Each structure stands twice: as structure tokens, then as C-alpha cells.
Amino acid sequence: MCGIIAITTSSKTNVSKMITDSLKKLEYRGYDSVGVATINNGKIEILKDIGMIDKVNKRLSLENLRGTIGIGHTRWATHGAINQENAHPHSDCKGNIIVVHNGIIENYLDLKKTLKEKGHFFSSETDSEVIAHLMEEELKQDNPNSSKINAFKRVINKIEGTYAITLIHSKDPETIFLARKDSPLVIGVREDTKFAASDIPAFLEYTKQVIVLKNGEIATLTPQAVYIEKNGFRVQPKPVIISWTAESAQKSGYPHFMLKEIHEQPIALKNTLNIDPRVIEKASNKILEAERIIFLACGTSYHAGLSGYHQFQRILKKRPLYKVIASEYETYSHLIDEDTLIIAVSQSGETLDVMKGLGAARKTRASIISVANVIDSSIPRLSQIALYTKAGPEIGVAATKTHTAQVALLARLALQIEHDVGLLNTTEFNENLGTLVTEAPQITRTIINQNEFKAKELAAKISNQNHAYFLARGYNLPIALEGALKLKEISYIHAEAFPAGESKHGPIAIVEPDFPVVIISPNDWTAKKMLSSTEEMRARGAYIISVTEEGHNIIERSDYPFILPTSLSLLRPITHILPLQMLAYYAAVKRGFDPDKPKNLAKTVTVE
Ligand code: F6R
């Protein structure tokens, strides 16, 4: 949450234009307010306000600030209202030190009290502002010419909580100071320019050489050099070259990132399923060694984990398996010990709830396998085995291509386990694998193309509704949960998903004529029962939308059926969510909302 960018360059360019462009790429992380600060001729220039970048830029001309070093921030409010004062960057009393921060400083009230007693004047209600004042206070102890890094290190030692910090000082006009703990911060390296940002797409247009700053590391960037240290020892930076292209982080003619990302699913699946078989075999061995297995994730990634849970349950039968929403991990802590394996699923690899759960698991020496999209992010680094989805950068806040890529990777893993426990012989395994790898991208493309217009048409029909239900049974429930989450988070239509049989225990009470009910019903063992649930809803006048397959009786009992080809059961959590992603997208657009930036949400959730 919150996007940070900092740039220092020896070229003669003003960095504010690059900072503003980078902030647009980070806007998915928060969009309550935005601000940019630069150092120009030894003086800080700072502009900030509430609102989205384009509007603030139009009002204040953020991109016209002068100077070859600067920092920028796009905010998702935690401490303090959404107003101009609380927008980042923040400064010390004299306006020499400027800071942007992502995370939460837990001891800020104590620090603020002490600083106020020492005469510091605060302009905002944020926790972040204490960092600038602490730096000011620490520098008072040093010779004005001595290196500012020592004061910065003392500041970092004083703060508790989570942070990605970038700080600049008007008297050190080439250096950016960085620190990170539990909030992401990556460094971009170009010969004459260095970047620091919350996420790689921010500077992908300028460089593909990336250094991921690790927890507890402190760094300085100058146009020519990157210096990193941890616990007082120098760390040799290891840049990696990112294969993502700058275009992959642009809309490429689509009206929104979400629509582009929906259409990118075939290629995301193809790349993801092209994973090195040795990594999958290693993961399968680890799973088979474990006494119990816990899927740990949040939101959409939790729904992918649920699909994995059902696949694994079918194969591992009596092996204890659990599915845990990461923010609830304490409730399950009694299950976690050295014989436990956690499978953590996270697109960003930075979700704090998941990281907290993994932190606790590591203390008990539990094993960890992760499924993540962002290379070298925190969650893969906390794991013994990191499995990567290759979906490319996902900018739309609502996860689409990363979700189906997660499901595909877990399905690939399930197939491997099925082989390794002897439920599939090598010929059957190779046949199924071939089908998964070739069919997933193809069928996905076909379904998207055949159903996009229908999804748009249906969105227009239901866009004036305030509620919708999503029903399924058994292993199809994750599809209903994900469909409901997509609809509610971007169109703001209240949507609820539950096992179909539960409706008569309460939810059916509010069903009335035209109430949209989405029924997920493939040609499988759930079909008959889903038909009964459909009839119960129809009897109350519900508007039945079904996601079903050719030949199913439900088609004629539906007001609006999405009829998909019957596919491998492994593929259903991928294929059957596609019409619902498109329905959510078009419902949001029809209702006049920006699907890429739903209110109150951010892409990477780095607060508990
Ligand atoms: C919804 C959505 C969120 C995320 C959740 C976990 O569309 O994207 O529910 O799935 O915040 O994020 P990651 O996957 O980054 O751990």
C-alpha cells in the first residue's frame, strides 16, 4: 500500500517528469493523495495534494518541478485523514529533510511526544512525519560535514513497525537514503541514474536491472553508485535482469489494465505452465514428506489456494489439509510445527498478513513453499521452495491473470503429486500434463472471445442491482467466492458467495424478483443438486445467471447462461471464472467506476 519512487541522476534532466510518470505506474498501490519533492539549487521544492495523479498534476504541475534528485509518493491512507497536510512527502521543521514512507510506524506517538517536547513542530497527523523530525534531531549531534548515513541509521534503529523509506536532504543533493522492513523497496540501476521504488513497473521504462532491497537493509543511492549495508556490514548488491517489458506495464490500447490483463490470461497460463519440472518435483517431494499441509493466503490468492486445497484433498485423501486466511493464522498456530508444510499463495509476494503467518511458522521450523508472481519478493524469500507464476506485471487492483496463473500452477503441482503417489502411471501423467499445458491457454482464449460480448450485455442488465448471490458446491465453491469478490470490489454491487445448500438456512430470505443469482454448475457430481438450488431461487423470482457447460439441464432453467465447453476438471477453476471476471469488469464500467482503481483498496496490502 502506498507507492514510493525516488530518482537521482547525473544527466541534466529534471527528474520530476520521470517521477510523475512512475507514480502513475504505482497508482494501483493507493490513490488518496499524491506528492513530489525535488532538490533544486540546494533548496527543497515540494508539491502535494489529494486526488489522483493526473488531476493533481494538472492542478499543480508536479512534472515541472526542477532538480536532478527527487522523491514521490501516492498514498493509501492509514494514519490521518485524506487531506493535503497528510499527503506525502513530509518534511522536518526547517524543510531541509524530505521523506516518503510506506508502512506503519507503530511507536510514532511516543516518538512524536518526545520530539514535540524538544520543540519540533508537526504539520500532519501521519506516523511518517516523525521520520523527518527524527533525522533532524539526530543530525544535531553530528558535525554538519559528516556523512548523514550514520544519523539515518540511528533513526532507523529508533522506529518500530513496517517501512519502506526514502529520504533526501537539501545539503546532500545527490543522495537518496533508503531503508526497508516488511514493505517492498526495489532499486533500479542505470549507468547515470539510480531509482528506488515500491515495485518494478515504476522504472521499467528506464532500466531492467533491479536490486531487491531485503528486510533490515539500509542503502544510499547516488547517480553513480548503490551502497547497501545490513547490521553494520556492507552487502554486495546482486542486480537481476527482469524479463518484463515496459509495454507489459502499459495499457497497450485497452481502456483499462484489468481488461488487458483478462485478455493476457492465455499467455500468462502458457508461461506459467512452462515451469521447470525439477522445481515441481522438488515441491511434490516436500509436500509428500509433510505430516500436515496448510494453504495460507488472502483474498483472491486465498481462492486460488482453496482450489489447490480441493485438488490436493482428492489425491492425498486422509492427509490433514487446512485452508487458512492469513490474517487468522493465530487461530491455527497450534497446528504449526516442524512437520507442517505451509503453501503460501501471494501475487505480490509482499502481503503483510501472509508474511506475519510465515514469520510465526518459521519460528517452529515449519517448511514453506510459496506461489508468487513477483520475483525475489519477500514471501518467496521466506520459503524453502519458491514457485513463480509467470503472469507478468499485474497493474489492475483486482487480480485476474495472476489468479488463474496461481490456480494453474497448483493444478500442475497436483498432477505431479498424483503421479508421485502412484495414482497416475507415467503414460497417464504425460498425457494429462500435455493436455493441461496445451489446453489451458487455448480454451481460455476461446472462452474469453466467445463470452466477452455476453458479459457486457449481462452487465448492462444487472448494473442497477444492489445485491447478487453466487452459489456453488464442493470444489466449485472457490469459483463462486472469486466471482463474488470480483463483482463487489470493482462494481460495488454487494455480492455474496456461499455453498448452494446454505441458501435455505438464511440468505434466501432477501431474494425477490430480479435478484441476480449466479449458479456455478459444470457437468459434474454437483449438477443435480445445483439444479434444485436453481429451482428454489427461481421460485422466488431470482434472475438466474449460470456458468455451466454444454448439455447441462440448467441451461433452459437460466435467464442468462454462459455455456462453456466441458473441460478437464483441473481446468474448471480457470475456465469458469473467466465470464465472471468480465461481468465484474463491464458492470464496473457501466456503473461509471474505474475498475483499475477501486475505492479504499490497494494492490499490495502491506498493513495488518
Ligand atoms: C482482489 C485482490 C486481493 C488480493 C489480496 C492478496 O482482486 O487482488 O484480494 O488477492 O490482497 O494479495 P496478494 O496476492 O498480493 O497476496
Side-chain angles (χ1 to χ4, degrees):
M1 278 163 163
C2 298
I4 288 180
I5 174 77
I7 306 177
T8 177
T9 183
S10 60
S11 74
K12 298 263 178 290
T13 12
N14 289 325
V15 287
S16 57
K17 172 82 174 82
M18 283 197 276
I19 290 181
T20 315
D21 288 346
S22 301
L23 284 174
K24 283 185 202 158
K25 314 231 169 69
L26 292 172
E27 207 171 19
Y28 68 85
R29 304 179 65 88
Y31 24 84
D32 294 332
S33 58
V34 59
V36 177
T38 56
I39 303 175
N40 182 30
N41 289 329
K43 285 223 163 63
I44 298 286
E45 295 188 358
I46 180 165
L47 292 171
K48 57 182 188 175
D49 207 350
I50 57 169
M52 294 208 184
I53 294 160
D54 279 338
K55 286 200 177 134
V56 176
N57 191 27
K58 216 168 181 184
R59 253 190 337 264
L60 303 180
S61 301
L62 301 173
E63 62 187 27
N64 290 337
L65 283 176
R66 284 157 311 154
T68 54
I69 180 168
I71 58 181
H73 187 270
T74 174
R75 180 171 186 238
W76 189 88
T78 55
H79 289 65
I82 302 166
N83 58 30
Q84 204 253 358
E85 290 73 31
N86 292 333
H88 293 222
H90 293 289
S91 68
D92 66 328
C93 299
K94 296 203 183 100
N96 290 328
I97 299 161
I98 304 292
V99 69
V100 294
H101 162 232
N102 166 210
I104 290 180
I105 308 297
E106 285 162 3
N107 58 340
Y108 87 103
L109 284 173
D110 293 342
L111 293 169
K112 193 168 176 175
K113 187 163 170 267
T114 315
L115 287 160
K116 275 183 166 176
E117 283 162 8
K118 289 184 176 165
H120 287 259
F121 174 78
F122 281 78
S123 322
S124 78
E125 304 158 275
T126 64
D127 52 339
S128 314
E129 193 185 342
V130 295
I131 302 164
H133 293 277
L134 272 178
M135 183 74 177
E136 182 180 22
E137 196 56 34
E138 288 300 326
L139 283 170
K140 285 183 190 160
Q141 297 170 25
D142 292 351
N143 175 326
N145 296 324
S146 68
S147 164
K148 295 183 172 44
I149 181 82
N150 293 326
F152 185 65
K153 285 197 274 185
R154 295 197 297 272
V155 169
I156 300 305
N157 279 337
K158 289 200 161 117
I159 58 178
E160 289 164 16
T162 60
Y163 46 81
I165 295 169
T166 72
L167 179 147
I168 52 176
H169 193 300
S170 59
K171 303 283 180 305
D172 196 346
E174 286 206 321
T175 310
I176 297 167
F177 298 88
L178 310 176
R180 137 167 222 188
K181 180 170 168 268
D182 291 340
S183 291
L185 203 51
V186 285
I187 297 169
V189 180
R190 205 170 74 174
E191 206 180 8
D192 57 351
T193 310
K194 304 293 173 282
F195 306 80
S198 304
D199 200 358
I200 298 162
F203 52 66
L204 204 52
E205 199 180 327
Y206 312 110
T207 181
K208 287 186 175 189
Q209 236 190 97
V210 174
I211 300 164
V212 181
L213 206 63
K214 302 193 179 66
N215 263 347
E217 290 183 345
I218 286 179
T220 56
L221 307 182
T222 55
Q224 278 75 32
V226 175
Y227 171 84
I228 304 178
E229 66 168 70
K230 185 167 185 177
N231 302 329
F233 294 100
R234 184 164 190 174
V235 174
Q236 208 48 48
K238 288 198 192 97
V240 288
I241 306 293
I242 295 293
S243 60
W244 298 353
T245 61
E247 294 74 52
S248 60
Q250 281 160 8
K251 285 188 200 154
S252 314
Y254 284 90
H256 297 101
F257 280 111
M258 184 176 173
L259 190 61
K260 175 181 175 239
E261 288 156 5
I262 286 173
H263 280 270
E264 281 172 346
Q265 290 179 103
I267 183 75
L269 291 170
K270 182 168 180 264
N271 292 342
T272 298
L273 288 168
N274 194 16
I275 190 168
D276 183 345
R278 288 168 302 183
V279 193
I280 291 286
E281 282 158 23
K282 207 168 141 201
S284 167
N285 290 340
K286 191 110 202 141
I287 288 164
L288 293 175
E289 278 165 14
E291 248 174 43
R292 68 194 70 76
I293 298 158
I294 300 180
F295 286 88
L296 187 81
C298 305
T300 287
S301 294
Y302 175 72
H303 300 153
L306 273 184
S307 292
Y309 165 90
H310 285 290
Q311 305 279 7
F312 281 36
Q313 198 180 49
R314 178 179 57 81
I315 302 161
L316 295 174
K317 307 229 160 59
K318 293 196 172 142
R319 181 92 46 116
L321 288 179
Y322 302 86
K323 41 198 179 352
V324 175
I325 290 180
S327 54
E328 291 284 310
Y329 75 90
E330 278 109 340
T331 318
Y332 296 84
S333 52
H334 62 286
L335 293 173
I336 303 176
D337 62 21
E338 59 190 1
D339 298 317
T340 309
L341 170 75
I342 314 267
I343 303 185
V345 187
S346 172
Q347 175 281 128
S348 62
E350 299 290 350
T351 299
L352 193 59
D353 286 327
V354 180
M355 283 168 62
K356 291 276 170 179
L358 294 185
R362 274 166 67 106
K363 286 198 186 123
T364 68
R365 307 191 45 231
S367 306
I368 302 169
I369 295 179
S370 58
V371 175
N373 195 49
V374 179
I375 304 284
D376 225 8
S377 50
S378 300
I379 290 168
R381 274 196 271 110
L382 290 169
S383 326
Q384 279 92 30
I385 301 177
L387 304 176
Y388 285 107
T389 50
K390 299 251 170 59
E394 188 174 69
I395 313 288
V397 166
T400 51
K401 62 175 179 173
T402 56
H403 171 70
T404 46
Q406 289 166 343
V407 174
L409 197 48
L410 290 170
R412 168 69 183 87
L413 189 52
L415 212 53
Q416 187 67 45
I417 300 169
E418 208 171 354
H419 169 258
D420 295 353
V421 296
L423 289 174
L424 291 178
N425 65 33
T426 304
T427 316
E428 290 163 334
F429 167 73
N430 284 334
E431 262 172 35
N432 284 355
L433 181 59
T435 315
L436 177 68
V437 170
T438 50
E439 228 181 75
Q442 276 170 17
I443 198 168
T444 303
R445 181 170 290 111
T446 308
I447 292 174
I448 293 170
N449 292 342
Q450 286 178 352
N451 292 280
E452 185 169 357
F453 176 76
K454 288 187 73 182
K456 193 172 177 182
E457 183 182 66
L458 177 61
K461 281 187 204 286
I462 64 155
S463 64
N464 57 353
Q465 296 290 335
N466 295 320
H467 307 275
Y469 280 163
F470 287 67
L471 310 187
R473 280 175 195 258
Y475 51 64
N476 296 320
L477 190 61
I479 306 169
L481 290 165
E482 178 57 10
L485 177 59
K486 283 290 92 86
L487 186 67
K488 86 178 110 187
E489 72 176 326
I490 58 169
S491 78
Y492 316 140
I493 295 173
H494 166 238
E496 242 184 285
F498 45 87
E502 274 294 285
S503 65
K504 56 192 178 292
H505 298 290
I508 202 165
I510 63 165
V511 174
E512 57 186 8
D514 292 336
F515 190 109
V517 176
V518 180
I519 305 277
I520 317 295
S521 187
N523 283 323
D524 61 8
W525 67 266
T526 68
K528 257 199 189 135
K529 289 187 169 191
M530 290 308 295
L531 205 51
S532 312
S533 306
T534 305
E535 294 303 342
E536 284 164 17
M537 290 294 174
R538 273 180 72 89
R540 273 96 195 155
Y543 184 77
I544 304 293
I545 299 156
S546 58
V547 180
T548 186
E549 293 172 2
E550 288 150 350
H552 195 312
N553 290 341
I554 207 169
I555 297 172
E556 56 198 63
R557 306 302 291 152
S558 308
D559 296 292
Y560 208 97
F562 287 99
I563 308 164
L564 312 185
T566 299
S567 60
L568 260 190
S569 61
L570 275 178
L571 286 178
R572 283 192 179 124
I574 299 172
T575 50
H576 289 48
I577 193 61
L578 301 170
L580 302 180
Q581 292 175 341
M582 295 190 285
L583 175 64
Y585 170 78
Y586 282 109
V589 172
K590 183 73 190 168
R591 285 161 67 92
F593 303 120
D594 180 349
D596 285 344
K597 299 186 194 98
K599 64 181 182 208
N600 304 334
L601 293 178
K603 183 99 189 139
T604 309
V605 185
T606 52
V607 293
E608 269 183 283

